[in-house]
Structure formats: structure tokens, C-alpha cells
């Protein structure tokens, strides 16, 4: 992973945490003021009107606080994602010595950033989407799910569709004949029997380099 790409992800995480802290401050201030607002403190105000304002203020404060919490969770994911990409980038240095070329953190409007774009010595183009989730990743119909023990959990988004979308957009943007989509989990154990799902190769960190060299 390039230093610039890593810094971009860390900067994104910092901005999200800063915004989350600001949301939290506003939420606490708004809820605190609403709780302290009583009819005897507002001149010529009807009691029902003051109570209504208190309810509205607390509701807005809770909403702002919830938005701040989502930003904080998003920042955690950005940090985890950056760490996962850095680990994979270190692994891929072996292929650089064999003539492979890699580009990290390319931004595409409407898609976001492509974690890794790989070009083989033969000119084959790959887009590699890196995920840092844990557990065991397996197929659940046409989508991926992850298991912890006896429990199965849905992912927060359809990673297969997203990876295919990245490949299609990169193919159109670079006018490439083909872009091969790869979904790599830096931490999880991957148990996808066919090795691919809906055209996307799904691998663990340990299987990424052998897959690229095979393809």
C-alpha cells in the first residue's frame, strides 16, 4: 500500500472521529439544555409549550448523538480497513519483484476508492477489494455470510455485487478487455467451495498470491 493511500484512509478516519466528537458535544448540550428547561425559567410561556420544546430538544439531541455514533463506528472500520490493506500490500511486494504492478486507493466517483488494482506481467487486470472482517466467510446463496461458532451473520452490504461493480467501472474507465474481481479477507478464514461466487474470486490472505499467479 502506498504511503499516500494509507495517509488518505487515516485522514478519513480522523475526520470522522472529529465530526463524531462534534456531534456528541452538540447532542449533550442540546439534551442538557432541554432537561433544564422548565416553565418557571421561561417568562410568559405556557407549561405545555415548554414541555413540548423539551421533548423536541431531547429528540433532536438523541438523533444528533446517534449520527455521531455512526460516524465513530465508521472511523473504526476505516482504521481496520487501512490495517488490512497494509498487510496485503506487504504480501504483494513479492509479486512486484516478478514484474507485477499495483495501484492503491484509486478514487472513482460513485464507487469510492478501489483498494488495489493489480496488473500482471502478461497485462491481465485485477481489482482487489480487501476486507478485514473476522470469523469464517462462506457462501449463503448468492451472497457471502460469516460464521462465528454455530451462528451465522449477514454482512452489512453485498460485497460480491460491490466487487463486480468495481470491476465493471474500472473496465469502462480504462477501456480494458477484462477486469478480474477479487475479494480478499485479510483476517477471516474463507470457505467458499467453488472458490468464486457470481464471478468474484473470494480468498483469504494466504490464498491471494497463489490465486493471482494461477490466473
Amino acid at each position: 500500500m502506498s504511503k499516500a493511500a494509507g495517509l488518505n484512509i487515516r485522514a478519513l478516519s480522523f475526520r470522522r472521529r472529529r465530526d463524531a466528537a462534534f456531534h456528541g458535544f452538540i447532542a449533550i448540550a442540546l439534551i442538557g439544555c432541554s432537561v433544564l428547561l422548565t416553565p418557571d425559567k421561561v417568562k410568559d410561556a405556557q407549561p405545555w409549550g415548554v414541555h413540548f420544546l423539551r421533548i423536541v430538544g431531547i429528540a433532536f439531541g438523541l438523533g444528533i448523538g446517534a449520527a455521531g455514533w455512526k460516524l465513530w463506528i465508521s472511523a473504526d472500520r476505516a482504521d481496520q480497513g487501512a490495517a488490512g490493506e497494509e498487510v496485503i500490500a506487504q504480501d504483494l511486494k513479492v509479486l512486484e519483484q516478478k514484474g507485477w504492478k499495483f495501484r492503491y486507493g484509486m478514487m472513482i466517483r460513485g464507487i469510492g476508492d478501489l483498494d488495489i488494482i493489480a496488473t500482471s506481467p502478461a497485462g491481465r487486470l485485477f481489482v482487489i477489494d480487501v476486507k478485514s472482517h473476522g470469523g469464517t466467510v462462506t457462501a449463503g446463496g448468492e451472497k457471502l455470510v460469516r460464521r462465528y461458532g454455530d451462528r451465522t451473520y449477514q454482512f452489512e452490504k453485498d460485497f460480491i455485487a460491490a466487487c463486480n461493480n468495481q470491476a465493471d467501472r474500472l473496465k469502462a474507465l480504462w477501456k480494458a478487455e477484462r477486469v478480474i474481481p477479487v475479494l480478499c479477507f485479510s483476517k477471516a478464514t474463507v470457505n467458499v467451495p467453488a472458490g468464486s461466487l457470481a464471478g468474484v474470486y473470494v480468498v483469504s490472505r494466504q490464498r491471494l498470491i497463489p490465486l493471482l499467479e494461477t490466473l
Side-chain angles (χ1 to χ4, degrees), residues 10 56 71 104 120 124 136-137 152 165 170 175 185 195-196:
R10 300 298 185 189
V56 170
L71 284 169
Y104 299 90
S120 75
R124 291 189 176 180
T136 298
V137 176
T152 300
N165 194 23
L170 184 62
K175 296 179 173 58
F185 288 85
S196 65

Side-chain angles (χ1 to χ4, degrees), residues 100 102 114-130 159-160 162-172 174 176-184 195-203 208 210-215:
W100 285 71
F102 299 97
L114 305 187
D115 293 336
I116 306 172
I117 299 172
T119 306
S120 75
R124 291 189 176 180
L125 195 60
F126 301 80
V127 60
I128 305 171
D129 194 8
V130 179
F159 292 148
I160 296 298
C163 198
N164 269 323
N165 194 23
Q166 290 181 7
D168 290 341
R169 290 293 296 275
L170 184 62
K171 177 182 177 181
W174 284 10
E177 181 178 346
R178 184 188 181 194
V179 177
I180 302 172
V182 178
L183 185 60
C184 178
S196 65
L197 187 64
V200 177
Y201 291 93
V202 185
V203 294
L208 178 59
L211 172 72
L212 294 176
E213 291 184 318
T214 300
L215 295 177

Side-chain angles (χ1 to χ4, degrees), residues 37-51 53:
L37 184 65
T38 56
D40 61 291
K41 293 182 179 179
V42 183
K43 186 177 181 180
D44 299 329
Q46 295 294 328
W48 65 267
V50 175
H51 291 313
L53 289 175

